Each structure stands twice: as C-alpha cells, then as structure tokens.
Amino acid sequence: MKTSLPVLILTALAALAPAVALRAQDTTNNPASSNATSASSSSAASGVTSEPRSDYSITSDFTYTSKYVFRGVEQARASFQPSLEFATGGWNAGVWTNQPIKRHENDEVDFYTGYSYNVNSALKLEGVATYYDYPEAIRSLGQTRHSYEGGLGATYTVDGFSPNVYYYHDFRLNSDTVQAAVGYSLPLGNNGFSVDTSLFAAAVNQRTVAPDAIGPGVHDSYNYWGADVTFPYKLSRNATITVGAHYANTDNLSPLNGSLGNQDFWYTAGVSIGF
C-alpha cells in the first residue's frame, strides 16, 4: 500500500482533533450526500457535513471503498479515503483525499469550503467551492494536475425525504454539471441504527476533458444515474460507523473520459468521529 504525505498529515490531524475539540461544545453530525462522496462523488464538498449546535465542530473520517467513482466515472479501484472537516455556524471547510491501495493509480486531494443557509426548517441553500489536486499526475501524458470549481444547491427536507438539486461549474475543465437527487432516512428504533437511501441523476457537459494535454480540447457530454444505500450506526454521541452499497451508470461517456467502463457497483465502510 502507498503511504503519502496527505495520509500522514490527515492521520496526525485526526489524532489531534480530540484535544482541539475539548474547547467545543456538543455537536451533532448529519451525514448527507448532495451528490458527492456516496452518490458518485469524491468530494466531501458534497459529502459529509456537520451542523454544530454551538461554536464549532471538528469531524474526522476514515473510509474504505472498493472503488472510487466520481460523478458516474470510475477514478480508481480499492482506496482509503481519510478526511478532516471544521465547521462553525453555517460555514465548513475541510480536506478529503483518495489514496488508492494498488500502485500505478494516482492520489487525489481535495480542499473545500462551503456555506449553508437555512431559509426555514425545511429548505436549505448551500454554496460550495472545491480545489482538486492530483499530485501524481504526469503532465507529459496529458493527465490533469489540478482543477477548481464552484457549486450552488438547494435541499428540501420533509417527512424523512430530502430532494435536492445542485449545479457545479469546473473552471479548468470548463464543465457544467446539474444533478438532482432524493434521499430518505429511516430510523430503526432507538438503538442508533438507520437506513439511508438516495437516488440521483445528472447531466455533465465537459468542454475540456484534459486541460493539461497538448492540442485542442476534447469535448464530452454524458449522463449518469444511480443509487446509494447506507447503514449508519451511532456508537456514541460522537462516533458513527457506516457501511454502504452504491451503484452508478453512465450514458454516452467518451472512452477518453471513462476507460474503466460505464457501470459500477461498489461498497464502502468507514468510521466518523466528531467533536
């Protein structure tokens, strides 16, 4: 297994999180997927969020995934995905990374921030920004070294259902993504178990598939859809373990953009600790 600097940094920060969090008050972690990590997305930018009841919260997460799939496209096989997030009020910021277990698959490190605003008890608006870094990308082979995007979204929650719609624009890939999803959370008694499900569908218009490649940009437009089923179990006030199964399918995907296939099924298992 590869061990890289981002993993060492995240492991150290996760170990320090309990000490830092002694100054924080009680918080509640609310895992949600606005597309992202569980719904075919890397980014914790649209993945786990923490909504603190008081001053701030710190959440560390360590997940194993049998595949890394981002917006319908398989990026890597079996990987570890450590992350660390800080949240205060409606703001959150963090770092998320995908570390493939096998060699010859590139790492990814994402730095993200966002702000959410509760219009009322049901409607939440959110703005996000993410910087994608690929430290092992080989530019001479046309591999993308970095990229950055912004996004806007809205989620409406009622009776356990959470329909949402998000728009993302990547400035280096010159791409637009519109995704709609609906999630449902079903508590299983008062023992800390629940079943969380999500269905999603999206359209991607990517005008520059490989911005660091020599030559004219390659255009690609495709659709993807899929489903997630996760089973979180709350071990304590601050700790949650989660296992999940995920599926994604794409239509009209260019071989240049998805050489590993257009259908993917994968599973995840992880632990999250928040303060």
Side-chain angles (χ1 to χ4, degrees), residues 47-70:
V48 175
T49 59
S50 298
E51 296 186 11
R53 292 177 180 171
S54 55
D55 295 337
Y56 64 86
S57 66
I58 297 174
T59 304
S60 58
D61 184 276
F62 191 82
T63 296
Y64 167 82
T65 181
S66 60
K67 291 181 181 180
Y68 167 35
V69 180
F70 178 59

Side-chain angles (χ1 to χ4, degrees), residues 51 117-124 155-159:
E51 296 186 11
Y117 174 72
N118 294 318
V119 178
N120 51 45
S121 60
L123 178 62
K124 181 177 74 172
T155 301
Y156 190 85
T157 303
V158 58
D159 295 331

Side-chain angles (χ1 to χ4, degrees), residues 34 45-46 92 112-115 126-130 149-153 166-168:
S34 58
S46 48
N92 71 299
Y112 65 92
T113 187
Y115 181 78
E126 184 179 20
V128 296
T130 306
E149 74 172 12
L152 296 171
Y166 275 77
Y167 165 76
Y168 303 94

Side-chain angles (χ1 to χ4, degrees), residues 38-40 72 179-182 198-202 224-228 247-248 266:
S38 64
S40 302
Q179 176 175 289
V182 59
S198 176
L199 299 174
F200 57 88
Y224 67 87
W225 58 272
D228 303 295
Y247 175 79
W266 69 103

Side-chain angles (χ1 to χ4, degrees), residues 3 20-21 47 65 77 102-103 119-120 125 212 216 252:
T3 302
V20 175
T65 181
R77 295 177 176 86
K102 295 182 179 180
R103 295 182 178 180
V119 178
N120 51 45
L125 305 179
D212 291 331
N252 304 317

Side-chain angles (χ1 to χ4, degrees), residues 118-207:
N118 294 318
V119 178
N120 51 45
S121 60
L123 178 62
K124 181 177 74 172
L125 305 179
E126 184 179 20
V128 296
T130 306
Y131 177 83
Y132 302 95
D133 183 52
Y134 308 95
E136 298 175 324
I138 303 174
R139 290 186 176 179
S140 62
L141 298 179
Q143 297 178 352
T144 302
R145 180 63 180 81
H146 67 93
S147 189
Y148 47 91
E149 74 172 12
L152 296 171
T155 301
Y156 190 85
T157 303
V158 58
D159 295 331
F161 288 93
S162 299
N164 64 72
V165 59
Y166 275 77
Y167 165 76
Y168 303 94
H169 179 77
D170 189 297
F171 294 92
R172 289 209 73 220
L173 303 180
N174 195 16
S175 70
D176 297 294
T177 301
V178 178
Q179 176 175 289
V182 59
Y184 180 73
S185 181
L186 176 65
L188 300 179
N190 298 318
N191 54 9
F193 275 109
S194 67
V195 179
D196 297 342
T197 59
S198 176
L199 299 174
F200 57 88
V204 179
N205 184 20
Q206 198 172 70
R207 299 169 188 85

